[in-house]
């Protein structure tokens, strides 16, 4: 029998999804607000938008011994962890900003309108990890995202995936609240010589039952205190786990990096020079729109903002191309 239990007909599903979309007037209102730096500054006065004089946050560089371990872990296992690398004085305002943005009805990724969500990737420990993994002269791929796992049983981070198939690229992930075994910390499948190929997208699709069981068994939980840094190469299989016990939301941000000599794919442009000017507001809005479009496959609730993402990309494509 069709439509048994709680399954919805295709028409009902379409109608339900349509009812979740932003209305045209809401969409227009958000587009106007999004491009207005004054709106954002009034929303979170502690942070700036495209202000050259924005105070640079600071963090103590990683000690040589820690950095050696990180370089070794990256080369042998494909991921690394630097515990408590960034202080509360940097992390706490970022987390508070994400909460403010959510309370104002925006997806958390709009945090990337603020300078501070870009400047954090210049902190010494982040730069040391990116250089250890990719070499000096690495660049940013402007694929930033802000993850927010609700503190309710069953909420979850992103399902198991790899960030891409290509070499010489890595992601750095920063928890802004403690990421615990209960609220949805990250998991990785460490790479090794025998299984390095499994992290490619096509291998994931065709993995046998036996391979999947082997991968599950090798999975490694990475609980991390707020301000720690996790890094992994694109081909490393990883995921954000399921919240099992209500507590604090798991909030985190991520950025992608590419090696100095690597040719970017068109979807990775514009690259950002790790030392140069930060992206303009329109470039940030383009990147936010693209991220909403791209990552709705991992976060269904982003479908509500799909039109907004598309409209931002359309509106700010030119600024992006001229870079
Ligand atoms: O935070 C999460 O749940 C997932 C993070 C992740 O997998 C990513 O950014 O690639």
């Amino acid at each position: 029998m069709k439509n048994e239990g709680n399954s919805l007909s295709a028409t009902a599903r379409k109608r339900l999804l349509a009812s979740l979309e932003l209305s045209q007037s809401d969409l227009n209102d958000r587009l106007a607000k999004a491009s207005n730096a004054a709106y954002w500054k009034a929303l979170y006065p502690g942070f700036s938008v495209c202000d050259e004089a924005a105070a640079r946050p600071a963090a103590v560089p990683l000690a040589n011994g820690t950095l050696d371990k990180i370089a070794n872990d990256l080369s042998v296992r494909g991921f690394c962890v630097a515990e408590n690398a960034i202080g509360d004085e940097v992390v706490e305002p970022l987390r508070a900003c994400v909460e403010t943005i959510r309370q104002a009805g925006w997806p958390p990724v709009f945090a990337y309108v603020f300078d501070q969500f870009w400047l954090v990737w210049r902190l010494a420990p982040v730069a040391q990890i990116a250089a250890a993994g990719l070499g000096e002269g690495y660049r940013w791929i402007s694929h930033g995202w802000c993850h927010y796992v609700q503190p309710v049983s069953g909420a979850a981070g992103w399902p198991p995936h790899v960030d891409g198939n290509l070499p010489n690229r890595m992601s750095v992930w920063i928890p802004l609240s403690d990421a615990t075994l209960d609220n949805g910390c990250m998991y990785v499948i460490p790479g090794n010589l025998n299984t390095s190929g499994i992290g490619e997208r096509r291998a994931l699709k065709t993995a046998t039952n036996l391979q999947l069981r082997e991968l599950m068994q090798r999975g490694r939980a990475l609980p991390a205190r707020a301000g720690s840094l996790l890094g992994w190469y694109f081909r490393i299989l990883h995921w954000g786990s399921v919240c099992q016990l209500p507590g604090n939301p798991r909030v985190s941000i991520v950025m992608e990096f590419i090696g100095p000599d690597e040719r970017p794919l068109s979807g990775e442009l514009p690259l950002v020079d790790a030392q140069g000017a930060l992206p303009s507001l329109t470039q940030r809005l383009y990147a936010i729109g693209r991220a909403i479009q791209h990552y709705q496959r991992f976060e269904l609730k982003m479908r509500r903002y799909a039109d907004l993402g598309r409209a931002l990309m359309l509106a700010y494509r030119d600024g992006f191309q001229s870079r």
Side-chain angles (χ1 to χ4, degrees):
M1 206 214 286
K2 274 188 180 165
N3 293 334
E4 232 179 326
N6 59 6
S7 72
L8 293 172
S9 71
T11 322
R13 205 176 315 133
K14 242 185 184 164
R15 224 179 283 135
L16 182 66
L17 281 176
S19 74
L20 297 176
E21 282 168 14
L22 298 176
S23 68
Q24 191 59 47
S25 67
D26 195 0
L27 181 63
N28 293 342
D29 181 50
R30 281 170 190 267
L31 280 171
K33 282 183 176 146
S35 56
N36 180 355
Y39 167 78
W40 294 112
K41 283 191 259 187
L43 185 67
Y44 196 72
F47 280 2
S48 56
V49 179
C50 299
D51 178 358
E52 299 268 320
R56 315 247 139 189
V60 178
L62 300 172
N64 286 344
T66 310
L67 197 51
D68 288 346
K69 174 160 172 30
I70 280 171
N72 187 58
D73 282 349
L74 277 169
S75 85
V76 175
R77 303 196 288 173
F79 78 96
C80 67
V81 177
E83 281 166 33
N84 303 320
I86 304 178
D88 284 351
E89 69 289 355
V90 175
V91 168
E92 186 46 33
L94 295 171
R95 197 197 55 74
C97 180
V98 172
E99 287 296 352
T100 304
I101 285 172
R102 283 189 72 248
Q103 276 156 23
W106 296 92
V109 66
F110 276 88
Y112 281 89
V113 296
F114 290 106
D115 299 330
Q116 285 70 13
F117 279 82
W118 296 90
L119 289 169
V120 70
W121 305 107
R122 290 210 174 137
L123 288 174
V126 179
Q128 287 171 297
I129 288 179
L134 301 170
E136 294 294 348
Y138 66 83
R139 295 150 297 164
W140 303 348
I141 304 171
S142 51
H143 285 175
W145 191 250
C146 177
H147 300 275
Y148 194 100
V149 181
Q150 299 276 0
V152 292
S153 289
W158 285 1
H161 65 282
V162 295
D163 289 340
N165 292 328
L166 295 173
N168 296 323
R169 289 156 170 83
M170 67 183 293
S171 301
V172 177
W173 185 93
I174 310 177
L176 302 182
S177 64
D178 292 348
T180 67
L181 293 170
D182 287 331
N183 72 0
C185 69
M186 293 299 297
Y187 278 67
V188 292
I189 307 280
N192 71 28
L193 292 180
N194 298 327
T195 53
S196 54
I198 200 71
E200 295 184 21
R201 270 186 196 135
R202 61 180 169 274
L204 260 184
K205 283 194 184 125
T206 56
T208 63
N209 193 291
L210 193 65
Q211 283 171 316
L212 285 177
R213 284 196 291 168
E214 188 229 347
L215 286 175
M216 284 166 70
Q217 196 168 21
R218 293 201 304 116
R220 185 176 170 116
L222 298 178
R225 300 287 304 274
S228 300
L229 299 176
L230 270 51
W232 56 77
Y233 285 121
F234 269 25
R235 282 174 172 163
I236 289 293
L237 185 57
H238 62 282
W239 63 93
S241 56
V242 174
C243 172
Q244 317 221 5
L245 266 189
N248 290 324
R250 195 267 271 160
V251 189
S252 54
I253 51 175
V254 69
M255 183 58 76
E256 293 181 353
F257 301 84
I258 183 169
D261 304 319
E262 210 55 42
R263 233 177 108 173
L265 300 173
S266 63
E268 293 176 326
L269 293 169
L271 297 184
V272 180
D273 184 336
Q275 305 306 329
L278 295 182
S280 65
L281 179 56
T282 56
Q283 286 164 341
R284 294 176 200 190
L285 292 172
Y286 179 90
I288 290 169
R290 178 175 57 187
I292 291 173
Q293 280 290 308
H294 197 60
Y295 296 138
Q296 46 182 307
R297 68 196 160 112
F298 292 136
E299 288 189 33
L300 282 185
K301 56 185 184 293
M302 281 305 128
R303 287 203 190 174
R304 175 166 170 70
Y305 304 99
D307 286 345
L308 178 60
R310 208 171 298 121
L312 287 171
M313 287 181 76
L314 215 60
Y316 299 119
R317 208 170 30 181
D318 290 346
F320 153 76
Q321 280 165 345
S322 66
R323 191 169 169 91

